[in-house]
Amino acid sequence: MASLTLPRHTGIFSGSLPTRPTLRYAAPAKVRMSLSESGPSIAVVGVTGAVGQEFLSVLSDRDFPYRSIKMLASKRSAGRRLTFEGNEYVVEELTAESFGGVDIALFSAGGSISKEFGPIAADKGTIVVDNSSAFRMDEKVPLVIPEVNPEAMHGIKLGTGKGALIANPNCSTIICLMAATPLHRHAKVLRMVVSTYQAASGAGAAAMEELEQQTREVLEGRPPTCKIFKQQYAFNIFSHNASVLSNGYNEEEMKMVKETRKIWNDKDVKVTATCIRVPVMRAHAESVNLQFESPLHEDTARDILKNAPGVVVIDDRKANHFPTPLEVSNKDDVAVGRIRQDLSQDGNKGLDIFVCGDQIRKGAALNAVQIAEMLL
């Protein structure tokens, strides 16, 4: 059986191609303490994908306690061997029988898999944290960013024998609202205009590989291989590859609109977005314009963000140093900078900010594991 080794991409291309070390989880110099008889039984669905691999990394980094862990994936990946925290596991095929005795299941295998197996797992008493869009807009399913709306999980607990579905928001929504919510709580956002600059990782490990391949090909003067995006990605930007709807917005943009309203529990907040794919490996950037009900001075906003959980402020005007995707890659915090008054709005009722966050980490795996931590 083949051993599973996936690349751990660390950032954007900047003159030279990144190395591709083998992904390993157990640090030889550190004894992991997260294997615990008192911890929950967990399963990772889609473990061979980019987010599935990051689930394992985050679980290990945060010493998440567990008494057992199942590695689940498609029939194609079943049988591969995977080393996690010094123990070797065999990847199992995901079936309806996979969830017996599983307390928490972290899903990142695509919407169709989640729709089929998420309810099956919940019916067997498993609490499912799903990274797909399958259940996000279901009124009965909480859509959660732990730093933003933890109260949405009220009543969902381990040890009751009762399963549940919990949805992880879209990566762009998470990164945006980590910065916008602390300001919203202070001055109430009436309207938000977002432009995103989204990394390859949002389209999965294959897209990351293709960006790397295309970059080599273009630099060598060869035609780029275009299988994932159907057009050249390296040294190019284009409208997000999500389907375009009849209103002219694409699905990614409408996710930000609808999810923001649900997470903030505010059907009246006005949100518009333009989502762009850029040749960056794993961290998204977003330009966010905010219109407030009450005045909010940029200095107050900066202080609020400096004290916000999961947020770091990088806002050095003198040095022209602000957040970049490279700086936040493989980091937990969302970085915010370019904090300034919107000159087009009177009375200090508008701000512009620039936000960067690791799409695989806080935009997906970290947020899901934080949700799981709330269940402990």
Side-chain angles (χ1 to χ4, degrees):
M1 289 179 280
S3 177
L4 177 63
T5 56
L6 289 180
R8 186 178 182 86
H9 296 281
T10 57
I12 61 171
F13 294 122
S14 181
S16 60
L17 292 170
T19 57
R20 295 174 54 207
T22 299
L23 183 60
R24 300 185 188 280
Y25 297 104
K30 185 176 181 180
V31 178
R32 308 304 307 192
M33 299 300 291
S34 46
L35 189 60
S36 168
E37 284 301 317
S38 61
S41 170
I42 62 177
V44 177
V45 178
V47 70
T48 58
V51 175
Q53 290 284 287
E54 200 71 19
F55 279 149
L56 298 183
S57 179
V58 174
L59 289 168
S60 183
D61 289 346
R62 297 175 72 87
D63 288 330
F64 188 95
Y66 61 93
R67 69 176 181 272
S68 64
I69 183 168
K70 277 188 175 183
M71 309 295 184
L72 301 173
S74 66
K75 184 176 182 179
R76 183 179 64 255
S77 297
R80 298 188 188 185
R81 295 184 181 276
L82 171 61
T83 300
F84 175 61
E85 294 195 335
N87 296 309
E88 187 173 81
Y89 298 85
V90 176
V91 177
E92 301 175 36
E93 180 184 356
L94 173 65
T95 70
E97 308 306 315
S98 296
F99 300 100
V102 173
D103 297 313
I104 301 172
L106 304 175
F107 271 65
S108 190
S112 61
I113 296 296
S114 293
K115 287 179 181 178
E116 180 179 357
F117 290 99
I120 291 173
D123 287 344
K124 294 191 175 184
T126 302
I127 297 177
V128 173
V129 184
D130 180 47
N131 191 56
S132 80
S133 61
F135 307 109
R136 287 175 187 159
M137 299 315 300
D138 186 325
E139 292 183 359
K140 298 178 181 178
V141 176
L143 182 65
V144 179
I145 305 172
E147 297 91 340
V148 173
N149 64 331
E151 68 281 356
M153 286 176 55
H154 178 73
I156 301 177
K157 295 180 180 179
L158 281 178
T160 65
K162 185 178 179 181
L165 295 168
I166 304 169
N168 221 24
N170 184 50
C171 49
S172 298
T173 306
I174 293 173
I175 292 165
C176 177
L177 296 192
M178 283 293 293
T181 300
L183 306 178
H184 174 58
R185 287 172 177 156
H186 186 89
K188 186 173 174 57
V189 172
L190 299 178
R191 184 171 186 261
M192 181 166 68
V193 182
V194 186
S195 298
T196 72
Y197 312 92
Q198 296 184 223
S201 56
M208 298 167 76
E209 292 287 347
E210 184 164 292
L211 175 56
E212 184 173 333
Q213 179 182 358
Q214 281 193 12
T215 302
R216 287 197 178 95
E217 290 167 341
V218 172
L219 290 174
E220 292 169 0
R222 294 186 286 136
T225 300
C226 302
K227 294 181 179 178
I228 304 299
F229 294 115
K230 311 304 179 187
Q231 60 183 306
Q232 181 175 323
Y233 188 20
F235 307 101
N236 192 24
I237 68 172
F238 46 81
S239 182
H240 192 281
N241 48 292
S243 299
V244 179
L245 307 173
S246 60
N247 64 2
Y249 285 74
N250 63 42
E251 289 181 350
E252 185 80 359
E253 293 157 354
M254 289 308 300
K255 287 176 185 177
M256 295 197 72
V257 174
K258 295 176 181 179
E259 291 177 21
T260 297
R261 290 172 176 166
K262 180 174 178 176
I263 292 166
W264 280 357
N265 192 26
D266 184 352
K267 295 181 180 179
D268 296 324
V269 64
K270 299 181 186 300
V271 181
T272 186
T274 300
C275 295
I276 303 296
R277 191 72 76 181
V278 297
V280 170
M281 196 56 76
R282 59 173 291 156
H284 288 353
E286 304 184 20
S287 170
V288 184
N289 175 267
L290 299 165
Q291 179 184 346
F292 299 101
E293 182 177 74
S294 305
L296 179 59
H297 192 274
E298 62 182 53
D299 292 338
T300 303
R302 197 172 286 107
D303 289 339
I304 290 170
L305 290 168
K306 284 179 179 178
N307 291 290
V311 174
V312 61
V313 174
I314 304 175
D315 199 43
D316 188 344
R317 295 178 180 178
K318 187 175 181 180
N320 200 11
H321 180 207
F322 304 104
T324 67
L326 187 58
E327 285 179 289
V328 300
S329 292
N330 296 298
K331 301 293 198 312
D332 288 349
D333 289 340
V334 169
V336 188
R338 299 300 316 279
I339 303 163
R340 63 202 189 277
Q341 222 72 54
D342 177 358
L343 298 179
S344 73
Q345 298 189 51
D346 296 329
N348 287 345
K349 290 188 175 181
L351 284 175
D352 286 299
I353 60 175
F354 187 69
V355 187
C356 286
D358 188 302
Q359 182 275 327
I360 310 179
R361 209 157 174 94
K362 182 54 185 175
L366 172 62
N367 197 76
V369 172
Q370 288 176 309
I371 290 171
E373 287 173 344
M374 292 171 63
L375 299 168
L376 298 177

mmCIF file of all heavy atoms in Angstrom, residues 26-44:
data_model
loop_
_atom_site.group_PDB
_atom_site.id
_atom_site.type_symbol
_atom_site.label_atom_id
_atom_site.label_comp_id
_atom_site.label_asym_id
_atom_site.label_seq_id
_atom_site.Cartn_x
_atom_site.Cartn_y
_atom_site.Cartn_z
ATOM 1 N N ALA A 26 4.416 14.559 13.287
ATOM 2 C CA ALA A 26 5.012 14.342 14.597
ATOM 3 C C ALA A 26 6.392 14.969 14.654
ATOM 4 O O ALA A 26 7.279 14.625 13.892
ATOM 5 C CB ALA A 26 5.112 12.849 14.897
ATOM 6 N N ALA A 27 6.597 15.910 15.560
ATOM 7 C CA ALA A 27 7.909 16.518 15.744
ATOM 8 C C ALA A 27 8.751 15.604 16.620
ATOM 9 O O ALA A 27 8.366 15.283 17.739
ATOM 10 C CB ALA A 27 7.767 17.892 16.408
ATOM 11 N N PRO A 28 9.921 15.149 16.142
ATOM 12 C CA PRO A 28 10.712 14.173 16.891
ATOM 13 C C PRO A 28 11.080 14.644 18.286
ATOM 14 O O PRO A 28 11.184 13.850 19.214
ATOM 15 C CB PRO A 28 11.957 13.998 16.014
ATOM 16 C CG PRO A 28 11.529 14.412 14.649
ATOM 17 C CD PRO A 28 10.514 15.477 14.847
ATOM 18 N N ALA A 29 11.260 15.969 18.467
ATOM 19 C CA ALA A 29 11.729 16.463 19.756
ATOM 20 C C ALA A 29 10.587 16.697 20.735
ATOM 21 O O ALA A 29 10.811 17.081 21.871
ATOM 22 C CB ALA A 29 12.521 17.758 19.562
ATOM 23 N N LYS A 30 9.355 16.470 20.338
ATOM 24 C CA LYS A 30 8.213 16.786 21.185
ATOM 25 C C LYS A 30 7.326 15.568 21.345
ATOM 26 O O LYS A 30 6.949 14.928 20.375
ATOM 27 C CB LYS A 30 7.404 17.938 20.581
ATOM 28 C CG LYS A 30 6.258 18.406 21.465
ATOM 29 C CD LYS A 30 5.568 19.596 20.852
ATOM 30 C CE LYS A 30 4.438 20.089 21.738
ATOM 31 N NZ LYS A 30 3.738 21.245 21.160
ATOM 32 N N VAL A 31 7.003 15.245 22.576
ATOM 33 C CA VAL A 31 6.097 14.140 22.839
ATOM 34 C C VAL A 31 4.666 14.668 22.803
ATOM 35 O O VAL A 31 4.308 15.572 23.561
ATOM 36 C CB VAL A 31 6.398 13.512 24.212
ATOM 37 C CG1 VAL A 31 5.398 12.391 24.503
ATOM 38 C CG2 VAL A 31 7.822 12.976 24.262
ATOM 39 N N ARG A 32 3.845 14.144 21.909
ATOM 40 C CA ARG A 32 2.478 14.617 21.792
ATOM 41 C C ARG A 32 1.630 14.025 22.913
ATOM 42 O O ARG A 32 1.769 12.862 23.266
ATOM 43 C CB ARG A 32 1.873 14.225 20.445
ATOM 44 C CG ARG A 32 2.680 14.605 19.235
ATOM 45 C CD ARG A 32 2.997 16.066 19.140
ATOM 46 N NE ARG A 32 1.822 16.899 19.249
ATOM 47 C CZ ARG A 32 1.824 18.189 18.958
ATOM 48 N NH1 ARG A 32 2.922 18.779 18.558
ATOM 49 N NH2 ARG A 32 0.723 18.898 19.087
ATOM 50 N N MET A 33 0.749 14.856 23.449
ATOM 51 C CA MET A 33 -0.078 14.429 24.571
ATOM 52 C C MET A 33 -1.564 14.380 24.214
ATOM 53 O O MET A 33 -2.401 14.252 25.076
ATOM 54 C CB MET A 33 0.136 15.381 25.761
ATOM 55 C CG MET A 33 1.570 15.429 26.269
ATOM 56 S SD MET A 33 2.178 13.824 26.831
ATOM 57 C CE MET A 33 1.174 13.601 28.285
ATOM 58 N N SER A 34 -1.891 14.511 22.928
ATOM 59 C CA SER A 34 -3.298 14.657 22.580
ATOM 60 C C SER A 34 -4.044 13.323 22.497
ATOM 61 O O SER A 34 -5.267 13.307 22.482
ATOM 62 C CB SER A 34 -3.448 15.427 21.268
ATOM 63 O OG SER A 34 -2.558 14.957 20.302
ATOM 64 N N LEU A 35 -3.336 12.174 22.420
ATOM 65 C CA LEU A 35 -3.999 10.875 22.458
ATOM 66 C C LEU A 35 -4.403 10.607 23.900
ATOM 67 O O LEU A 35 -3.565 10.437 24.775
ATOM 68 C CB LEU A 35 -3.067 9.784 21.932
ATOM 69 C CG LEU A 35 -3.673 8.401 21.715
ATOM 70 C CD1 LEU A 35 -4.809 8.467 20.706
ATOM 71 C CD2 LEU A 35 -2.616 7.425 21.256
ATOM 72 N N SER A 36 -5.714 10.628 24.156
ATOM 73 C CA SER A 36 -6.212 10.601 25.531
ATOM 74 C C SER A 36 -7.440 9.727 25.617
ATOM 75 O O SER A 36 -8.377 9.863 24.823
ATOM 76 C CB SER A 36 -6.556 12.029 25.988
ATOM 77 O OG SER A 36 -7.292 12.014 27.187
ATOM 78 N N GLU A 37 -7.470 8.840 26.624
ATOM 79 C CA GLU A 37 -8.620 7.952 26.799
ATOM 80 C C GLU A 37 -9.892 8.725 27.126
ATOM 81 O O GLU A 37 -11.001 8.252 26.873
ATOM 82 C CB GLU A 37 -8.321 6.939 27.908
ATOM 83 C CG GLU A 37 -7.377 5.824 27.499
ATOM 84 C CD GLU A 37 -7.896 5.010 26.323
ATOM 85 O OE1 GLU A 37 -9.102 4.694 26.309
ATOM 86 O OE2 GLU A 37 -7.116 4.708 25.418
ATOM 87 N N SER A 38 -9.739 9.924 27.680
ATOM 88 C CA SER A 38 -10.918 10.713 28.038
ATOM 89 C C SER A 38 -11.396 11.607 26.900
ATOM 90 O O SER A 38 -12.429 12.266 27.020
ATOM 91 C CB SER A 38 -10.614 11.586 29.260
ATOM 92 O OG SER A 38 -9.559 12.503 28.977
ATOM 93 N N GLY A 39 -10.658 11.639 25.801
ATOM 94 C CA GLY A 39 -11.029 12.487 24.681
ATOM 95 C C GLY A 39 -12.083 11.838 23.802
ATOM 96 O O GLY A 39 -12.401 10.654 23.930
ATOM 97 N N PRO A 40 -12.665 12.604 22.886
ATOM 98 C CA PRO A 40 -13.662 12.050 21.975
ATOM 99 C C PRO A 40 -13.025 11.193 20.884
ATOM 100 O O PRO A 40 -11.830 11.315 20.596
ATOM 101 C CB PRO A 40 -14.297 13.296 21.368
ATOM 102 C CG PRO A 40 -13.208 14.325 21.412
ATOM 103 C CD PRO A 40 -12.431 14.049 22.667
ATOM 104 N N SER A 41 -13.837 10.348 20.284
ATOM 105 C CA SER A 41 -13.431 9.621 19.085
ATOM 106 C C SER A 41 -13.709 10.518 17.881
ATOM 107 O O SER A 41 -14.805 11.065 17.762
ATOM 108 C CB SER A 41 -14.225 8.327 18.976
ATOM 109 O OG SER A 41 -14.019 7.718 17.710
ATOM 110 N N ILE A 42 -12.723 10.700 17.011
ATOM 111 C CA ILE A 42 -12.916 11.608 15.883
ATOM 112 C C ILE A 42 -12.646 10.895 14.559
ATOM 113 O O ILE A 42 -11.987 9.851 14.504
ATOM 114 C CB ILE A 42 -12.032 12.871 15.997
ATOM 115 C CG1 ILE A 42 -10.544 12.517 15.975
ATOM 116 C CG2 ILE A 42 -12.359 13.651 17.247
ATOM 117 C CD1 ILE A 42 -9.645 13.757 16.019
ATOM 118 N N ALA A 43 -13.199 11.474 13.492
ATOM 119 C CA ALA A 43 -12.964 10.985 12.137
ATOM 120 C C ALA A 43 -12.687 12.191 11.251
ATOM 121 O O ALA A 43 -13.292 13.254 11.431
ATOM 122 C CB ALA A 43 -14.166 10.208 11.612
ATOM 123 N N VAL A 44 -11.781 12.016 10.309
ATOM 124 C CA VAL A 44 -11.485 13.047 9.320
ATOM 125 C C VAL A 44 -11.916 12.514 7.965
ATOM 126 O O VAL A 44 -11.368 11.522 7.473
ATOM 127 C CB VAL A 44 -9.986 13.424 9.315
ATOM 128 C CG1 VAL A 44 -9.701 14.451 8.221
ATOM 129 C CG2 VAL A 44 -9.572 13.971 10.671
#
